[in-house]
Amino acid sequence: MAATKHDQTMNMPELLVFARLFVIGFVGAEVGWSAYYLGNSFATMLSGVSIGIRATGIVVISLAIFLLCLIYAIERGAHIATSRICSSLRVDLLIMIIVGIWTNYLISPLLSKVHEALKDVDPYSGPTVLLLLCTILLTPLVQHRRQRPNTSPPQLRFLSDEEVDNDKEDLLAGDEQVKSFADTVLESEALSGLTFGVDGPWGVGKTSFINLAQHYWEEADDRVIVCRFEPLRYASEPDLADRLIRDLSSAIQQKVFVPEFRPAVSRYSRLIKGKADISFFGFKLTLEPSQETADELLNDIDEVLKRINRRVIVVIDDLDRLDTRTTNNVLFAIRRTFKLSQATYILCYDTEVLAGSQEESSRAREFLEKFITVKLSLFVDSSHIRDFLRRDWKSQANQLSTIPSDTMLKLGSVLDELANILDGDKATWYLPLVGDLRKVKRFVNAMLLMQLEKSDLGRTDFNKHDLINLILIHLNYPGLFRRIYADETQGRCGIFSVQRDLIKQEYKNDSSFSDFVAKQQEIAAFLLKELFDLNTLKFNWNSLDEAELSSRACFNQPDFRNLEDYLKLIVRFVTPEPQKTFVLYKNAVDQVLKGVKIESVLSSDDFRLGQSDHAYDQFWRVLANQSYSFTRNVADDAINTLIKYLPRYPSIEYHDRGLRNRSIYTLLQLLDRAGWGDTSEHRHQHRHKTTESGVIEIAWRIFGEGSYAGKGLLQQLVASNRGVLGWNDLMMFRLHCSADRQGQLFNLYSALIFHQDKNGTTTGLVSDLALVGMRKISQNIFSRFKKTYIKPRRNFFTEVNEAPIQEFLGIASFELSQHISNKFRNEQDNNSIENRIASSRSVVKSFVIYQLSNSVPPEGSGVGCGYYNESGAENKLGIAKAMNNYIFNICFNPYLNKNNTFHFLDYCLLHLSRTILPSGGTINYTATKDGLPSGLNPKEMGLYWSQHKQLIYEQVPYALDRRVVTPNYIARYSEDLEAVFTALDELASDAIYDDKEAE
């Protein structure tokens, strides 16, 4: 019987332990004799072989077998077990092995028949047995070598939620607390039932804390044995106390050699299991346990621990992950082993999880108090998480080194923003979501899944604060995220996106947004407000710049689909193309402001003219918006580069009126805002001066005077190599210079006025200001046209028809032309490439001729060139008369070229008037006598028709398949000329009538 608690008599030795070692010695000796007899029989057969060869063979084979056995023993950890056995100093057990060997020697005569039989076996039996044993040893060695992992494992893509295993991996600065706790456990007196509680929420690092403490215990005291019991692995087993004792036994025997420990544990296991039934050939046997009590057996186990002078620390982890019933079983199992005075228990749990609902809260807390002697609560300081996000992740010792450093660098900007959030006033709202390392790893893994490392966030419009909030909703509130995704994708604008009230000029939330937020959980509602609530965001209609409009998630209107871009990034891992981001153009403009040449910026791959000219359009727009701050050098570079690049841009109406046409107004903006003065401060101080330091410099740039002699913009726009489209550019430039069009080019308007009269006024009626300002530029432009076309008698209409297609597509837009040609090659509607180019030709004819010939005064649509005389200050329509003479006597004159009649008819078909038919409100285009002349003189047109009517009638039958394409309609000779002829007859009648009246 084992000693009771109060009985100090000596325990009976474990006889089975000694018996086992005796048998090992006896059997080992017998195996040696058997090997000797088998080997001797084989050696006798080799007696005829020379002694040298035989000795060499024996040595080689013996060494090979010895090495095989040695490698096998090392791989199985025999050296560790041997060291443990030797350190135990169990001489008594060694004596039992020797006694077994000696006993085998004493009774060997009784085994003589067996030995004689071994002597008489076949001589090859020895080598056969040896080969069999070598094969048995070699097979697992080979298999083990094959299964070994590569010495250079591939880098992990995601962060695993592995606990910290040493102090070098501790990123939350908990080493001092670990040391203090570990010292307390070591210095505490070994008492029965001493239990420490480590309390903290999931993810706070309880397991990592115990790992660090375990390293400290094992280094500080070699007598300590740590047993890690994981109840989650055995939650389904009926008796956790038995499993706990077994794990405790295994942990102890891995550290020390205690052969008598296993029998004591086995007896305890049989005791708690009760009787066992065994069926044998139909007979049922019942085995009853011994009469020992559980306390007596635990005392035996405790005595073994005392004898080997070891202390056991039993760690029960993840207690709060079990259901209530299993948790109680674990606690009672621990309670049953409290007899082990050499054992100290450490329980890791979260009280709030164990407490459960409010009804069970107080009861669960009281229940824990019965078991926990000393309690330690773990907390994570948000400053540690913040420091980790900002810099500590770069340390090679931390677990984030499992992913490439360049990947983490690309995520660094988001991590920095998250650190700023945790350092701000609203940190308490974010701590439940990213307040521990486990949640931070989960957040980083979400970014890796979105493949953010493959895209440079610095080159996107994503607001990092909004991105973080949306990722947190996606991770923690998937139902809410799905609602946002359903409402705000596929072009939809739901209750989350901010709406714009153009009438009141303000932003507002959807009327149901606040009600929806009120129904959400507290933290979810906070995140929604941070993303979409205008009361939180405090956006102002007038102060909100384009950078925020293109980046904040709350904007999801047709022109800024920001929220949808965020959602596509998170769900589909799609980032917008750089050309569709505002930041690309902002960064490009920033480079220009720093002195980088614009042509160098535009030569990068991001601005390659190919599938679209959108990138160039956006660049010039953003550049013009920033032009107020330009220095003179930057302004010169911008103006000169834009002039140079105009021929490279398409003028066809592909989606809109063409980049070339839009760029003309950008050029005027650059002139107005930065085309004069050295700096923005200089311009502010001298904006009203007419001297060299004032706005007059804009006019010098336009006309090529002063320091800009020979480099005037009017001259550059219609350079000989720019063809007819250069004149279209020039007339567009001139039209926007007219102040009555209500533009915002006030400096430019003033410059044109001051250029004619240094003492001129820039205040008063806009029509009067436009009339004065447009005189000289109109006369200059007509003078150039006269020199280029009228005097040489060149037909402008013919040159437009003969202009190469590539000029309309843009010199540098060959890829774009191929793209459009392939897309619309077989189409016959207005979108075909042929129709688009034909329409552009028509626009150039109509626009240039109209601007030069019309005599409309400044009434809001721009004063016409024809309103002025060719020179002087009188406005007697001299230019209009000259243009009418040129058009009818040169361009339309059939005696100069019979095809000129088609120019006339084409011109008429270009100017059909729009009417709405009563039947269904259908839009129709037809010829009228008021619409056909457009900017030309109706009387001159009527007289021309009277003179050439018969000739035109004769030519028309040969051209009935001819057509005229405009942006609004396609007119055909076969269908529309009849109405044209009718209107022309009316004009001719009016002209003849006017002549008779004049007579």
Side-chain angles (χ1 to χ4, degrees), residues 622-639:
V622 176
L623 184 74
N625 291 338
Q626 297 291 322
S627 58
Y628 291 107
S629 60
F630 283 4
T631 62
R632 181 181 295 274
N633 290 336
V634 174
D636 290 344
D637 183 34
I639 293 170

Side-chain angles (χ1 to χ4, degrees), residues 228-237 240 243 247 317-318 321-322 326 330:
R228 305 293 288 268
F229 181 63
E230 300 176 4
L232 270 176
R233 297 174 58 186
Y234 315 117
S236 61
E237 296 195 8
L240 291 174
R243 176 54 64 180
D247 282 8
D317 202 357
D318 293 331
R321 296 183 183 271
L322 304 171
T326 308
V330 173

Side-chain angles (χ1 to χ4, degrees), residues 207-262:
T207 303
S208 299
F209 182 85
I210 294 300
N211 286 346
L212 297 177
Q214 179 176 347
H215 283 290
Y216 184 83
W217 290 326
E218 292 174 345
E219 292 176 1
D221 190 345
D222 58 1
R223 298 180 301 110
V224 173
I225 300 175
V226 180
C227 173
R228 305 293 288 268
F229 181 63
E230 300 176 4
L232 270 176
R233 297 174 58 186
Y234 315 117
S236 61
E237 296 195 8
D239 200 318
L240 291 174
D242 174 46
R243 176 54 64 180
L244 175 59
I245 291 297
R246 288 179 179 275
D247 282 8
L248 180 62
S249 169
S250 176
I252 293 173
Q253 293 186 76
Q254 287 179 5
K255 297 292 183 180
V256 293
F257 179 65
V258 192
E260 62 268 40
F261 194 84
R262 187 184 298 274

Side-chain angles (χ1 to χ4, degrees), residues 806-825:
Q806 193 60 45
E807 290 188 16
F808 292 90
L809 296 173
I811 295 174
S813 302
F814 180 73
E815 292 183 18
L816 178 62
S817 67
Q818 294 300 310
H819 172 69
I820 300 175
S821 297
N822 292 335
K823 183 175 181 180
F824 301 115
R825 184 182 301 277

Side-chain angles (χ1 to χ4, degrees), residues 51 98 150 240 285 293 431 446 492 513 558 583 732 755 963 971 975 991:
I51 297 177
I98 295 174
N150 195 335
L240 291 174
L285 302 178
T293 65
L431 287 176
R492 294 184 288 269
F513 174 73
V583 71
M732 185 72 68
H755 187 253
R963 62 179 189 158
E975 299 175 2

Side-chain angles (χ1 to χ4, degrees), residues 142-204:
V142 173
Q143 293 175 346
H144 179 65
R145 291 288 177 180
R146 286 182 177 178
Q147 294 174 357
R148 283 192 174 181
N150 195 335
T151 55
S152 56
Q155 280 188 312
L156 298 177
R157 177 172 176 76
F158 297 102
L159 302 179
S160 59
D161 187 21
E162 297 178 356
E163 62 271 10
V164 171
D165 197 45
N166 57 70
D167 55 356
K168 292 182 179 179
E169 298 175 355
D170 181 21
L171 303 175
L172 302 181
D175 51 340
E176 291 297 329
Q177 189 178 22
V178 170
K179 184 177 182 299
S180 176
F181 173 75
D183 286 335
T184 302
V185 174
L186 289 179
E187 294 170 3
S188 61
E189 183 180 358
L191 299 175
S192 298
L194 179 60
T195 306
F196 290 86
V198 178
D199 186 6
W202 290 352
V204 77

Side-chain angles (χ1 to χ4, degrees), residues 577-785:
E577 296 179 4
Q579 290 78 9
K580 295 182 179 180
T581 63
F582 173 75
V583 71
L584 170 66
Y585 311 108
K586 183 179 182 301
N587 292 339
V589 171
D590 289 342
Q591 287 184 278
V592 173
L593 294 176
K594 293 177 181 177
V596 178
K597 292 295 183 182
I598 293 178
E599 197 160 5
S600 174
V601 173
L602 296 182
S603 63
S604 66
D605 291 339
D606 291 329
F607 293 96
R608 183 174 60 86
L609 275 171
Q611 299 299 317
S612 173
D613 54 14
H614 175 78
Y616 276 73
D617 190 15
Q618 293 299 310
F619 169 78
W620 288 115
R621 182 182 60 79
V622 176
L623 184 74
N625 291 338
Q626 297 291 322
S627 58
Y628 291 107
S629 60
F630 283 4
T631 62
R632 181 181 295 274
N633 290 336
V634 174
D636 290 344
D637 183 34
I639 293 170
N640 294 335
T641 304
L642 184 53
I643 290 289
K644 178 181 178 180
Y645 271 61
L646 282 176
R648 306 187 185 193
Y649 299 150
S651 60
I652 63 172
E653 298 182 5
Y654 182 61
H655 296 311
D656 47 35
R657 56 192 175 89
L659 175 59
R660 182 165 183 168
N661 294 335
R662 296 195 304 274
S663 298
I664 296 298
Y665 190 76
T666 302
L667 174 62
L668 289 163
Q669 286 180 309
L670 293 173
L671 284 171
D672 180 78
R673 299 171 182 179
W676 58 284
D678 296 322
T679 62
S680 58
E681 293 80 8
H682 178 273
R683 296 182 197 112
H684 180 74
Q685 294 173 2
H686 301 84
R687 61 185 181 278
H688 297 305
K689 293 185 178 181
T690 60
T691 60
E692 186 174 353
S693 60
V695 295
I696 191 67
E697 184 181 349
I698 299 176
W700 295 349
R701 283 183 182 270
I702 293 174
F703 295 105
E705 299 175 1
S707 58
Y708 301 99
K711 298 181 293 183
L713 296 182
L714 301 183
Q715 175 184 346
Q716 294 182 57
L717 287 172
V718 290
S720 58
N721 61 341
R722 301 204 173 201
V724 293
L725 287 180
W727 286 98
N728 190 72
D729 297 337
L730 181 61
M731 301 316 299
M732 185 72 68
F733 181 91
R734 175 203 167 273
L735 178 63
H736 287 302
C737 289
S738 185
D740 66 311
R741 291 178 58 84
Q742 302 299 319
Q744 304 297 314
L745 308 173
F746 303 113
N747 293 322
L748 185 144
Y749 303 150
S750 299
L752 292 176
I753 293 174
F754 291 148
H755 187 253
Q756 296 177 87
D757 183 0
K758 293 185 178 181
N759 298 319
T761 179
T762 58
T763 60
L765 291 175
V766 174
S767 58
D768 293 341
L769 299 177
L771 190 60
V772 174
M774 292 296 291
R775 176 177 289 109
K776 191 166 185 178
I777 190 173
S778 299
Q779 293 172 341
N780 187 294
I781 289 174
F782 176 75
S783 175
R784 294 178 183 277
F785 186 85

